[in-house]
Structure formats: structure tokens, C-alpha cells
Amino acid sequence: MAGKITADLSGMTILITGASSGIGAHFAEMTASRGAQVVVTARRRDKLEELVADIAAKGGRAHAVTVDVTSATSIRDGVAAAVKAAGPIHALINNSGVAPGRPLLGESAEDWDQVIATNLSGARHMAVEVARQMVEQKSGGTIINMASILGLRQGSHVTAYATSKAGLVQLTKQMALEWARYGIRVNAIAPGYIETPMTAAHFETDAGKQQLLRIPLRRLGQVEDLDGPILLLLSPSSSFMTGSVLVADGGHLISSL
Ligand SMILES: NC(=O)c1ccc[n+]([C@@H]2O[C@H](COP(=O)([O-])OP(=O)(O)OC[C@H]3O[C@@H](n4cnc5c(N)ncnc54)[C@H](OP(=O)(O)O)[C@@H]3O)[C@@H](O)[C@H]2O)c1
């Protein structure tokens, strides 16, 4: 399409978490189609293998590595397997996440722990493991954390999720500060509502349809709406950006509704 950002990612190896579905699967296809070698990770092996086969059928290079981000051992083994399969990792897209909607008073301590373990601790452990190999190879690198506008505003019945994403925003800035000396840039993207398996059912409901009316651009985002921010943050054109949070939300955050 005329006007689309073109970016050549050849020579770049990108590890993407939460790549078995939605935004992560799209990022894998989109970056592989621009020449990146991708390592796709998540828990569902069958979905990852389908994705790798699709990318390979289009001439791209992809590897599937099963990782559960709530397990430090799985992360350690997964990053080692990724490096063995694909060589040094230049970029990490920390995208895996869960978003159960429930009121705080209807949530168990275990429910809360699961959200924080996946969305916040999982992102931290994965970034640390990948950063260690970036430091070792003295190459620098780029890490992109998938936050959410709910890390910057409040919403009903999403306290664990919103708290995990607010933590991820702060984690992004802390990591950016600590790792700048190694040439590792750390930034976040804060999407608004994007149509994926995480959100599709909700936006079929009356409450979901009402919510769409509060988005100034009056539509649900599509996974392609995040291509600009992700390509910018992967590119050397953003080499002076670290600790930033790019919002892509159709204006939801600036709306007073
Ligand atoms: N869709 C939106 O409106 C929206 C808005 C803002 C931010 N986001 C963020 O964007 C990211 C992707 O969301 P999405 O909409 O694409 O959702 P999705 O389609 O439900 O995908 C979530 C991904 O996370 C993976 N995942 C969940 N738990 C995991 C675990 N313990 N270990 C490893 N992987 C795990 C899932 O893979 P397996 O189940 O195979 O493990 C899946 O690939 C999330 O961080 C989400 O919070 C989404």
C-alpha cells in the first residue's frame, strides 16, 4: 500500500514472546517478511510450528522454541535454545501476556499472582536473560516491552492487568537506565484496544461496543496499527530513543470519556 513504512530488517535476529497468537504472531510474520530471522516463543508448540511453516513457505527464516514465561527455568532453557538455533539475538519483543477481567473482590491471590508472573515478572526475567547474552557478545541490542494504555490509565475490573502493565512501564525505564551503558535500548509500546483473540469476544458485547464509542478515532485497532511503532523501535533510526513509551490507541488515552 502506498505510504507504508518500508524497513529492511535483514541481518537482524528477533526473539518474540507470546508469538502463538494475536499481536506476537503478526509481528513475527511482519518482521520476517522484511528479512529478519525470528525466534517465536510461547507455550503452544503446535501454533508456533504452524507459524514457522507459514513464514518458511513465504521464504522467511523462523524457529519455534517453547517457553513458559512464568518459569525461570523455561526462560533460561528457551533463550539458550534460541541462541543455539539462531545465533546472537539482536532484539527482544517482550509481548506475552494474559488479561483476565475480574473484580478485585472476586479474584484469588493465585489469580493475581498468575497475571503479575506472566505480564511483569515474565517480561523482566526474559529481558534479563536476553540482555546477559547481549552484554556478553558486546553488540548492544534493543528490547521492546508490550505495555498497554491500562498501564497509564485505569479501567474497571482489570486491576491485576493494569497494575502489571504500569509495572512494565516503570521496568522499561529502569532497564533503559541500567543498560544504556551496554548499548541496549529499552522502550515500550502502549497499545489501546486491538482486535485479537484477547479482546475479540469483549467487543462483541454491548459493554464492548459502548467502549468503542469512547475512542476518538471510533474504531478498534488492528494488529497492523502497531507496525509503525515496532518498526521504529527496531530501527537504527530510533537509536537515540530509550526509556520511551509509544502510545498507539486511536486517541483513547487523551479522551476524557
Ligand atoms: N489486544 C489488545 O487490545 C492489547 C492492548 C494492549 C496491550 N496488549 C498486550 O499485547 C500482548 C499480546 O496480546 P494479544 O492481544 O496478542 O493477546 P493473545 O492473542 O491472547 O496472545 C497472548 C500471547 O501470550 C502468550 N502467553 C500467555 N501466557 C504465557 C506464558 N505463561 N508463557 C508464554 N507465553 C504466554 C500466549 O501464548 P500461549 O498461550 O501459547 O502460551 C499468546 O501467544 C499482551 O502482552 C497484551 O497485554 C494487547
Side-chain angles (χ1 to χ4, degrees):
M1 193 214 298
K4 259 193 173 181
I5 292 184
T6 52
D8 181 5
L9 302 177
S10 348
M12 183 176 247
T13 297
I14 307 175
L15 192 159
I16 305 171
T17 72
S20 59
S21 170
I23 294 169
H26 169 71
F27 283 165
E29 286 181 322
M30 187 275 289
T31 55
S33 75
R34 289 169 155 86
Q37 170 178 227
V38 294
V39 181
V40 292
T41 75
R43 293 167 301 181
R44 285 171 293 171
R45 180 90 202 169
D46 53 332
K47 296 272 181 200
L48 295 176
E49 281 172 0
E50 265 172 47
L51 179 62
V52 165
D54 278 356
I55 290 172
K58 291 176 191 143
R61 283 193 303 160
H63 312 268
V65 175
T66 313
V67 175
D68 179 343
V69 298
T70 63
S71 156
T73 312
S74 177
I75 288 178
R76 211 167 33 247
D77 293 350
V79 172
V83 173
K84 192 167 177 214
I89 296 161
H90 307 114
L92 166 67
I93 303 178
N94 239 337
N95 166 78
S96 47
V98 287
R102 51 192 167 220
L104 261 181
L105 294 179
E107 179 178 76
S108 68
E110 291 75 20
D111 291 337
W112 169 275
D113 287 346
Q114 179 67 16
V115 176
I116 301 297
T118 309
N119 297 3
L120 181 56
S121 308
R124 180 265 177 209
H125 300 333
M126 180 58 81
V128 167
E129 204 58 37
V130 171
R132 280 200 178 114
Q133 69 97 45
M134 287 171 173
V135 170
E136 214 169 280
Q137 77 206 22
K138 297 189 168 54
S139 61
T142 179
I143 295 175
I144 302 168
N145 294 323
M146 201 51 56
S148 163
I149 54 167
L150 281 167
L152 304 168
R153 71 192 292 268
Q154 296 71 45
S156 301
H157 297 167
V158 287
T159 298
Y161 180 79
T163 305
S164 73
K165 294 298 186 179
L168 189 55
V169 167
Q170 182 69 355
L171 181 67
T172 299
K173 297 175 185 180
Q174 288 292 144
M175 292 192 301
L177 194 60
E178 283 204 31
W179 296 342
R181 75 196 67 177
Y182 305 114
I184 301 171
R185 299 188 297 115
V186 189
N187 293 287
I189 298 178
Y193 292 101
I194 307 291
E195 190 170 5
T196 69
M198 185 180 271
T199 54
H202 173 65
F203 285 101
E204 292 296 315
T205 66
D206 286 343
K209 286 177 186 147
Q210 283 300 313
Q211 224 172 359
L212 284 184
L213 299 174
R214 291 185 221 131
I215 301 172
L217 289 182
R218 292 287 189 278
R219 68 173 175 89
L220 198 48
Q222 299 301 311
V223 288
E224 294 79 8
D225 287 315
L226 303 177
D227 290 357
I230 204 89
L231 288 172
L232 173 69
L233 293 177
L234 287 173
S235 154
S237 299
S238 64
S239 61
F240 205 47
M241 289 176 72
T242 197
S244 301
V245 182
L246 295 186
V247 174
D249 69 343
H252 202 152
L253 198 60
I254 53 166
S255 159
S256 54
L257 295 171

